[in-house]
Amino acid sequence: MFGLNAKDTRLLWIVIGLTMLAPFLLNPFPEGSELAQFNAGYPDLMQRFVIFGIFAIGFNILFGLTGYLSFGHAAFLGVGSYAAIWMMKLLTMNVIPAIIMSIVFAGLFSLIVGWISLRRSGIYFSILTLAFAQMSYALAYSVLTPITGGETGLQAKISDPRILDSNAGEFGRANLFGLHMNSSYELTIGRWEFTVNTGYYLAACVMLISFYMAIRIFRSPFGMMLRAIKSNQQRMNYTGLSTRPYTLAAFVISGMYAGLAGGLMVAMDTQVGPERMFWTASGEVVLMTILGGAGTLIGPVLGAGMIKYMENIISKINDSILHQWFSFLPDGLEDVIVAVVHPFIGKGWSLTLGLTFMAVVIFLPGGLVEGGQRLGRLFGRKSAESDKKTPPAE
Amino acid sequence: MGILEVKGVNKRFGGLQALGDVNLSIKENTVHAIIGPNGAGKSTLLNCLVGKLIPDSGSVMFDGKSVLGRKPHEINQMGISRVFQTPEIFADLTVLENVMIPCFAKRDGAFRLHAFESVGQEGGILEQAEAILSDVNMLEKRNMHAGSLSRGDKRRLEMAMCLVQEPKLLLLDEPTAGMARADTNNTIDLLKEIKATRNITMAIIEHDMHVVFSLAERITVLAQGTPLVEETPENIKGHPKVREAYLGEAQV
Ligand SMILES: Nc1ncnc2c1ncn2[C@@H]1O[C@H](COP(=O)(O)OP(=O)(O)OP(=O)(O)O)[C@@H](O)[C@H]1O
Ligand SMILES: [Mg+2]
C-alpha cells in the first residue's frame, strides 16, 4: 500500500495509530494521582515529540544512510524558524507560507553549507558543519540583528505589516485557515483528562508525511546508493557513480527536514531566538538519532521522544516528590534513598540521559530499535516454540 | 591501433621508479595478460588506467580518448571496469544489492535522484542482477551480506559487479588469488564464456600460470616497471629474457 511493502505499511500504520492516539496514550494516569506527573499528553510536549521527530528523521537520512556526521544541523532548523517568523510578520499568521518558506530557505542554506563541507569527509566534514553552525549562531546573535532580532529574537507583533491578513484585530494567533494552533479541546472521562490540541494534530500530520517520505527514500535506489557510499566510496567511484551529488542531495534533504521542524516550532509558538542554532542543539539531534538507532526507520523518532520525555518529565521531579514515594520506608533509609536518587532528577535529568545514552551505546549499539528487536526475538522464539507444541491445524 | 594505447608512461613514488617508460597496446576483443614478479608495477599500471593515480608523464588513450585527468567514475562510464587485487565490494549491502548498483550506474549514469522509485520495482534491473548472479553461481547467496562471504566469493561477486556493466575493457587484478582450485577453474570457464559471447577486451594480471595460459592471447612481461617482452603464450615459454627476469623463480 502507498507503494510500500507489507512490513513498511504495517510500520506506517502503527506510527499513524500511535501519533493520532497520543493525547490519550500519553496520559495513562488519572489526574491528581501520584503518577500523574509522568503524563506526557499535554500539547506543548507532544508538539515537541513530533517536531523533534521530524528533525531526527531528516538527520537520519544523512547520518544513518551515508554515515556523514553533521554537527551543524541546528543551523538549518534556525534558518527555517527565522524564515517562518518573517512570513508571519510580513504575510499572514496562516502557517502554510511559514512552513513552506522554512523548507525553502533551509534547503538553500544547506545547499551552500553542504557544497563546501562535503569536500571533506569524516571528522573534517563534522568540524566544517560545526563551524558553519556556530558562525550562523554568532551572526544571528550579533551582526544580523536587523534580520534576526539579535539576542532577544523575533516575535509576531501587532505592528507587523501582515499584508495578507485583513482583520488585524485577530492578531497573534497562528492558524491554519482560521483553525488556531493553540486551541485545545479538553476531554474528561472519569478522573482522566485529555487535551486534544489543533497544533499537535497539524504537526503530527506533517510528521507522518515526513516519515512516509523517509520510508520511500530508504527503499529507493537513491537510498541504496547512500548506503553504498557509507559502505565503500572507492567502489562507488570505480562503478561509475559520482558520490558528491548523492551526498549533497542527502544533505539538502536532511537540511529541509530540519527547516521544516524549525518552521513548525514557530507555527506552534510564534517566536524565535538564536539559541535554537547553538551547537548543543545540533548535538541533541545526533544523540536522538544514535539513541533510537541510526539507519533505522523508526529509531530517530523513538530517540527524539525519549530525550524530550526525560528533559520535560524527569526534570520536574523534585525531592519532596521523592519523599512522598519512599515515605513507606523507615525515616533514615528514606533520607538515604532520596539522597542517592537526588542527582538524577530535576536539574540532574541530563545525568540520567547521559547514563542511558552510554548504556544504550555500549549494550545496544543499534539503539532502542535493537532493544526492541531483541525483545521481539525473545518473545518470537517463545511463541514459535509453543507453536511447535500445538499440532498443525490442517 | 588498440582499444587501449599506453605510451611512455612513467610513475615515481619518491625515489622508486614504479613505472619506467611503459608502452602497451591492447587490441580490441583480446585477452591480454600482464605478468611479472611481485612489485613489478602491475597494479600501479592499472591504477594509472582507471584514474586512481596520475602518471608523471606519458599518455593513456582508451577508445581514441585520453583518460588522463578524468575522474574514476568518468573513466568507468567510458567503459573500463576493474576488479581489484583486494576485493572492493559493498560489505554492508546484500549480494543482490551489490550487483544492482552497477546496473543502475550503467542505466542512469553517474547520478540520478531516483528517491521515490522502489528498488524492487525497477524494470529490468532485478532481472539483470539475478542473471549475472546465476552466471557466477551465486544466486542462492543473493540475500547474504557481502561482507560475510568467503574470499573467493567476494572476488566472484566483484567480478559479477564488473561484468554486469558490460564494459568494453575489463581489468582483472589477480582475479583468482585466494580461490580454491575448483573455483579457479570455474572462473576460467566463466571468463572464457564471457569472451566467447560478448565483445569484451580483458587485461588480466595473474601469478597463476595455469590461468594465464588458459586465457591469454597476448602476454606482456613487466619487470621493475618496464615491459620486457610482448608475445603470444607459445613464444613466451621459452623466451630467454623472460627466463632471466622472471621465470627463474617460477616453473612454467
Ligand atoms: N601508493 C604508493 N606509494 C608508494 N609506493 C607504492 C605505491 N603503490 C605501489 N608502490 C610501490 O610500487 C612498486 C610496484 O607496486 P605494484 O603494487 O604496482 O606491484 P605489483 O606488480 O602489482 O605487485 P604484486 O604482484 O605484489 O601485486 C612496489 O615497490 C610498491 O611498493
Ligand atoms: Mg599488484
Side-chain angles (χ1 to χ4, degrees):
Chain A
M1 206 173 158
F2 313 120
L4 301 180
N5 65 29
K7 210 171 134 222
D8 293 338
T9 311
R10 205 184 61 197
L11 179 67
L12 183 62
W13 274 117
I14 292 174
V15 175
I16 291 176
L18 290 178
T19 41
M20 287 299 124
L21 295 176
F24 308 98
L25 298 175
L26 292 175
N27 262 5
F29 307 112
E31 210 48 44
S33 74
E34 253 174 49
L35 290 172
Q37 59 215 334
F38 288 106
N39 281 344
Y42 54 97
D44 183 47
L45 182 53
M46 287 192 299
Q47 288 166 3
R48 249 176 264 180
F49 284 157
V50 288
I51 291 175
F52 280 91
I54 293 172
F55 191 17
I57 289 170
F59 185 77
N60 189 41
I61 291 175
L62 179 70
F63 175 57
L65 290 180
T66 69
Y68 277 76
L69 178 55
S70 162
F71 260 110
H73 260 50
F76 308 129
L77 184 124
V79 167
S81 285
Y82 283 115
I85 198 84
W86 273 110
M87 288 304 114
M88 289 191 165
K89 285 166 108 49
L90 297 177
L91 295 181
T92 165
M93 288 305 282
N94 190 325
V95 296
I96 297 287
I99 289 174
I100 291 175
M101 280 306 156
S102 67
I103 301 174
V104 171
F105 275 87
L108 290 174
F109 187 52
S110 57
L111 185 65
I112 298 168
V113 175
W115 176 262
I116 296 166
S117 305
L118 286 166
R119 283 164 193 276
R120 291 283 169 272
S121 60
I123 187 75
Y124 300 101
F125 167 81
S126 304
I127 297 297
L128 279 171
T129 51
L130 177 63
F132 265 108
Q134 281 303 83
M135 228 152 62
S136 316
Y137 166 75
L139 287 178
Y141 199 87
S142 56
V143 182
L144 294 178
T145 301
I147 308 175
T148 62
E151 194 182 344
T152 42
L154 293 173
Q155 301 82 26
K157 291 205 186 89
I158 298 211
S159 51
D160 294 330
R162 251 190 298 282
I163 50 176
L164 295 181
D165 284 0
S166 46
N167 47 343
E170 274 269 30
F171 144 77
R173 301 184 73 182
N175 64 78
L176 179 70
F177 305 110
L179 271 175
H180 291 152
M181 288 300 116
N182 57 3
S183 66
S184 295
Y185 175 72
E186 305 279 344
L187 186 71
T188 310
I189 303 175
R191 287 164 56 222
W192 280 267
E193 270 176 28
F194 306 105
T195 313
V196 179
N197 170 262
T198 316
Y200 168 71
Y201 275 96
L202 173 73
C205 289
V206 176
M207 196 275 272
L208 289 173
I209 297 169
S210 312
F211 184 61
Y212 168 72
M213 302 230 285
I215 301 181
R216 291 297 299 261
I217 289 173
F218 266 64
R219 301 293 180 238
S220 71
F222 174 71
M224 187 167 76
M225 296 296 178
L226 298 183
R227 284 186 291 127
I229 286 173
K230 183 178 184 179
S231 185
N232 190 342
Q233 289 223 16
Q234 164 123 319
R235 183 27 94 193
M236 281 294 271
N237 289 325
Y238 294 104
T239 304
L241 293 156
S242 176
T243 49
R244 185 89 69 79
Y246 281 104
T247 47
L248 185 59
F251 193 90
V252 172
I253 291 171
S254 74
M256 287 160 76
Y257 270 80
L260 172 63
L264 279 172
M265 280 181 183
V266 170
M268 300 302 128
D269 180 13
T270 54
Q271 53 153 341
V272 199
E275 74 289 341
R276 209 164 273 189
M277 303 169 115
F278 199 58
W279 67 272
T280 49
S282 297
E284 196 180 44
V285 74
V286 179
L287 293 190
M288 288 171 177
T289 309
I290 294 175
L291 184 65
T296 64
L297 284 169
I298 192 68
V301 185
L302 294 179
M306 176 128 178
I307 288 184
K308 286 294 149 192
Y309 186 84
M310 286 187 159
E311 182 185 285
N312 289 278
I313 301 294
I314 296 192
S315 65
K316 274 196 312 198
I317 303 172
N318 56 32
D319 281 4
S320 62
I321 296 176
L322 286 184
H323 277 292
Q324 270 176 33
W325 287 354
F326 296 112
S327 58
F328 63 91
L329 293 170
D331 267 358
L333 190 58
E334 180 187 326
D335 289 344
V336 171
I337 296 231
V338 171
V340 169
V341 180
H342 174 80
F344 298 95
I345 55 159
K347 279 188 183 142
W349 73 271
S350 42
L351 180 60
T352 313
L353 173 63
L355 291 173
T356 315
F357 186 75
M358 278 190 244
V360 166
V361 170
I362 293 168
F363 298 110
L364 297 170
L368 297 174
V369 167
E370 189 185 333
Q373 282 167 348
R374 285 200 198 168
L375 282 178
R377 242 174 289 151
L378 209 63
F379 289 112
R381 205 181 303 141
K382 277 196 189 128
S383 64
E385 273 163 19
S386 60
D387 281 354
K388 266 181 227 153
K389 278 174 208 148
T390 53
E394 296 121 325
Chain B
M1 263 284 276
I3 188 166
L4 184 80
E5 292 283 340
V6 178
K7 290 219 175 75
V9 163
N10 284 283
K11 182 73 199 175
R12 293 190 80 88
F13 295 116
L16 176 82
Q17 180 92 35
L19 293 177
D21 196 27
V22 174
N23 292 301
L24 178 71
S25 171
I26 297 182
K27 289 207 180 55
E28 208 165 346
N29 299 330
T30 58
V31 178
H32 196 122
I34 300 166
I35 61 172
N38 290 109
K42 305 179 295 294
S43 298
T44 305
L45 177 59
L46 290 202
N47 287 343
C48 290
L49 306 184
V50 296
K52 191 171 185 185
L53 289 175
I54 298 169
D56 301 332
S57 62
S59 73
V60 179
M61 303 289 284
F62 174 69
D63 226 1
K65 282 172 259 157
S66 174
V67 304
L68 299 185
R70 287 182 208 258
K71 298 210 175 82
H73 72 263
E74 294 167 340
I75 296 174
N76 175 278
Q77 293 283 356
M78 287 166 76
I80 303 182
S81 288
R82 172 176 183 187
V83 174
F84 284 80
Q85 190 165 353
T86 42
E88 293 281 353
I89 54 172
F90 302 113
D92 306 320
L93 273 55
T94 66
V95 168
L96 184 65
E97 286 173 327
N98 266 272
V99 283
M100 285 176 91
I101 285 172
C103 296
F104 280 115
K106 179 156 176 72
R107 192 192 71 181
D108 300 333
F111 172 72
R112 189 176 147 206
L113 189 62
H114 30 31
F116 281 96
E117 289 119 69
S118 168
V119 171
Q121 280 146 14
E122 287 284 351
I125 298 278
L126 193 64
E127 290 75 8
Q128 268 180 50
E130 287 182 340
I132 196 75
L133 282 181
S134 88
D135 284 351
V136 297
N137 285 324
M138 289 187 71
L139 195 53
E140 73 284 2
K141 294 180 178 144
R142 49 190 289 191
N143 290 325
M144 276 176 75
H145 267 259
S148 63
L149 294 173
S150 70
R151 211 142 67 96
D153 277 349
K154 282 182 183 160
R155 287 192 175 286
R156 285 199 290 172
L157 174 61
E158 194 184 14
M159 214 174 315
M161 292 163 73
C162 290
L163 288 173
V164 81
Q165 290 195 305
E166 303 188 334
K168 291 183 204 148
L169 175 62
L170 178 63
L171 306 174
L172 299 146
D173 199 344
E174 304 193 21
T176 66
M179 274 190 193
R181 192 81 241 174
D183 278 343
T184 301
N185 288 334
N186 286 341
T187 305
I188 294 174
D189 292 342
L190 173 70
L191 291 174
K192 274 185 176 159
E193 193 197 311
I194 298 284
K195 195 192 139 210
T197 53
R198 297 179 204 182
N199 291 331
I200 188 167
T201 314
M202 295 189 216
I204 179 166
I205 292 175
E206 202 34 273
H207 286 294
D208 184 335
M209 288 306 144
H210 172 59
V211 179
V212 172
F213 287 114
S214 308
L215 289 166
E217 291 150 277
R218 303 288 296 177
I219 299 179
T220 295
V221 182
L222 204 63
Q224 286 161 359
T226 312
L228 289 183
V229 268
E230 195 204 305
E231 268 298 351
T232 58
E234 297 74 47
N235 296 341
I236 276 285
K237 287 183 189 173
H239 205 290
K241 263 192 178 172
V242 179
R243 241 172 234 282
E244 178 192 317
Y246 183 73
L247 300 178
E249 316 154 23
Q251 204 63 46
V252 178

